[in-house]
Amino acid sequence: FLAKESRNGHKYHNLQESTLDIERYHLQNGLQKALENDEFSVFYQPKYNISDSRLIGAEALIRWKHPKLGQVSPAKFIPIAEEFGLIKSIGEWVLEQVCKQIAVWQNLGYRFPVSVNLSVKQFREETIVQTIRSMIERSGIDPGLLELEITEGMAMDIEKALRILQELRKIGLRISVDDFGTGYSSLNYLKKLPIHQLKVDKSFIDDITRDLGDAAIVSTIVTLAHNLNLKVIAEGVENMEQLEKLREIGCDEVQGYLFNKPLPLAEFDEILYQNFGK
Ligand code: C2E
Ligand code: MG
Ligand code: MG
Ligand code: MG
C-alpha cells in the first residue's frame, strides 16, 4: 500500500494523514481506558492579583499520562474525547476531583476560587446544571469557590447560554470567558450574559510589549470589561515586561509561567502554605 502510494504525487500527504490517523486511533483507544486505569490527574495553576501579587485563585488543568505515549496535551485529547463521546465522563471526573479538593482547602481555612475549563460541548450537555449542582451539594463546598471557564463559542446560541448561565449563577458559581478575543465575538453577549470575568487570550499577551496593536486590543478589552463591571485576567504572562505593561493598562489579575506553571497538587499546596501559612 505504502509502496504504491509512494509512486503518486499524493504520497507525502497520504503518509502524513495515515500517521495522524494512527495517532488519533491510539489516543481514542487509550482514552476509553484512561479513567478506569487512573491515568488522569489534575494540576493547579495559581492566579495572582496584579497590584499586590496576592494569590487570588487557581485554574484546574487536566493531565493525562498515556502508558506508552507519556504525557498527552489536553489541547490534543480533549477534542478527541469530544468527538468520541467521552468528554462527559472525563469532564465530570475533573469537576468531582476539583470539588473534593476545594472542600479540603475550605476545611483548612483557605478561601480562593478554583476554575474548571468547560468545552462548548460540555456546556451544552442537557445535564450540566444538575451535574454541577449535585457535585457542589455532595462535596459541601461554598459554590462561590467554583468558577467555570467557558469560551466565546457558548454564546453562539445566546438564548440557551443565557438560560444555563442564569441557572449556574443562581447556584452561586462564578463564570469566566476564557481565550477572550479569539472566538466568536459578538459583543452583544457581554452585556446579556451573567459573567464575572474576561480572560484575555495568551496570543494578545505574547507580543504586548512590542506590538502596539496587541497592546491597544488588551487596553480596549480592559476598558470595556471595567465599564461592564467585569474583571480581567491575562493568561500566559511569561516575563516582567509583560507584567509591567499589563499593570499600566489596568488589568486586574495575571497567570503564567512568570509566576508558576500548572503544578501537581503537592507542589501547589506548598505555594498555598507559603502564601497563607497554616
Ligand atoms: P486554557 O484553558 O486556555 O489553559 C491555558 C493553557 O496555557 C494551559 O495549557 C496552561 O498550561 C498553559 N499556560 C499557562 N501559562 C502559560 C505561560 O505562561 N506560557 C505558556 N506557553 N503556556 C501557559 P494546557 O494545560 O496544556 O491546556 C490546554 C487547553 O486544554 C486549555 O487551555 C483548555 O482549553 C483545555 N483544558 C485543559 N484542562 C481541561 C479540562 O479539565 N477540561 C476541558 N474541557 N478542557 C481542558
Ligand atoms: Mg482556561
Ligand atoms: Mg485560556
Ligand atoms: Mg488560551
Side-chain angles (χ1 to χ4, degrees):
F1 167 74
L2 292 178
K4 190 176 152 205
E5 286 297 312
S6 69
R7 257 182 269 121
N8 70 42
H10 300 297
K11 172 196 73 170
Y12 184 64
H13 178 71
N14 283 338
L15 271 179
Q16 219 182 24
E17 223 168 50
S18 60
T19 316
L20 280 178
D21 281 349
I22 290 165
E23 191 187 25
R24 276 166 47 84
Y25 171 80
H26 281 298
L27 293 180
Q28 175 223 330
N29 243 336
L31 278 173
Q32 314 261 16
K33 293 168 270 177
L35 267 179
E36 56 185 278
N37 292 346
D38 215 15
E39 291 163 12
F40 291 120
S41 59
V42 177
F43 277 31
Y44 294 89
Q45 187 179 33
K47 299 178 182 178
Y48 294 93
N49 190 357
I50 201 165
S51 54
D52 58 7
S53 302
R54 242 177 343 116
L55 189 151
I56 41 89
E59 176 175 10
L61 294 153
I62 191 171
R63 292 292 176 264
W64 178 28
K65 194 166 178 206
H66 186 284
K68 292 214 180 69
L69 304 170
Q71 289 292 339
V72 185
S73 160
K76 202 174 222 169
F77 72 78
I78 293 286
I80 297 174
E82 291 198 306
E83 192 179 333
F84 291 94
L86 300 165
I87 192 64
K88 191 169 189 292
S89 52
I90 295 173
E92 287 180 6
W93 181 85
V94 173
L95 275 166
E96 188 171 6
Q97 298 304 304
V98 172
C99 286
K100 281 183 182 161
Q101 192 53 51
I102 294 175
V104 171
W105 287 324
Q106 184 177 283
N107 291 333
L108 287 168
Y110 297 134
R111 281 191 68 83
F112 55 89
V114 181
S115 61
V116 170
N117 291 281
L118 278 196
S119 68
V120 172
K121 222 174 193 161
Q122 288 175 275
F123 180 74
R124 296 219 181 106
E125 288 275 359
E126 269 333 303
T127 50
I128 188 67
V129 174
Q130 189 44 46
T131 299
I132 290 175
R133 186 182 287 120
S134 66
M135 293 224 184
I136 287 176
E137 279 167 7
R138 262 187 291 151
S139 59
I141 63 169
D142 172 350
L145 298 178
L146 181 63
E147 179 172 292
L148 299 178
E149 292 191 15
I150 53 192
T151 54
E152 292 166 279
M154 53 108 196
M156 294 269 254
D157 182 348
I158 192 140
E159 294 311 319
K160 179 156 193 200
L162 186 60
R163 217 170 50 240
I164 299 172
L165 290 178
Q166 276 170 342
E167 285 187 62
L168 293 170
R169 270 288 283 256
K170 238 188 280 161
I171 301 174
L173 270 76
R174 294 167 49 86
I175 311 288
S176 177
V177 180
D178 202 357
D179 303 332
F180 185 76
T182 59
Y184 166 90
S185 284
S186 149
L187 293 175
N188 188 33
Y189 78 87
L190 281 183
K191 65 162 194 194
K192 281 197 179 151
L193 298 181
I195 51 185
H196 294 87
Q197 189 178 58
L198 301 182
K199 191 169 202 179
V200 181
D201 192 68
K202 179 180 182 299
S203 59
F204 299 112
I205 308 303
D206 288 338
D207 286 326
I208 195 170
T209 55
R210 291 181 295 264
D211 187 320
L212 291 176
D214 285 337
I217 288 171
V218 177
S219 178
T220 304
I221 292 173
V222 168
T223 306
L224 173 69
H226 287 169
N227 285 333
L228 291 169
N229 248 324
L230 306 172
K231 294 267 188 215
V232 185
I233 183 166
E235 66 172 15
V237 180
E238 296 181 339
N239 59 57
M240 287 301 291
E241 293 72 32
Q242 291 169 330
L243 179 64
E244 248 338 290
K245 188 76 195 169
L246 287 162
R247 260 205 198 102
E248 219 175 274
I249 284 175
C251 184
D252 304 294
E253 300 171 7
V254 277
Q255 188 184 9
Y257 292 177
L258 173 62
F259 304 92
N260 320 92
K261 293 198 165 175
L263 303 167
L265 182 58
E267 283 176 47
F268 182 77
D269 272 334
E270 279 294 309
I271 304 269
L272 281 185
Y273 187 78
Q274 287 162 22
N275 276 268
F276 302 126
K278 280 172 201 159

